Amino acid sequence: QVHLVESGGGLVQPGGSLRLSCAASGFSFSAYSMHWVRQAPGKGLEWVSVIRSGDGATYYADSVKGRFTISRDNAKNTVYLQMNSLKPEDTAVYYCARHYGTGMDYWGNGTLVTVSS
């Protein structure tokens, strides 16, 4: 069974950094593109980033471009989100999700990132 587990969230000050991890199991990880999606308190889901399965190409939402970096380690079945220059508006529950078709089919339970002074 497909299982995605996010970790690395926590409280950080504005301008700080945090690295999120998503450990995947139950499928051929290297064959799937992987996404990060977030949900700020009281807000809807916001797509953050994706890393392709084949060539490892990366894409980002304008709101995080230049500050966040998505990466993957196929040997460890893990996708990462390095978050730098964090802003209060980055406060959200961050989810990783497996790409499928035009969307995502499996999601983790999320990890909370709080950016506050």
Side-chain angles (χ1 to χ4, degrees), residues 57-74:
T58 59
Y59 302 88
Y60 302 89
D62 288 343
S63 58
V64 307
K65 197 170 298 179
R67 300 187 298 120
F68 290 12
T69 302
I70 190 171
S71 62
R72 67 191 297 159
D73 186 337
N74 289 336

Side-chain angles (χ1 to χ4, degrees), residues 44-65:
L45 294 168
E46 179 189 17
W47 177 82
V48 174
S49 185
V50 62
I51 183 163
R52 289 235 303 240
S53 59
D55 58 4
T58 59
Y59 302 88
Y60 302 89
D62 288 343
S63 58
V64 307
K65 197 170 298 179

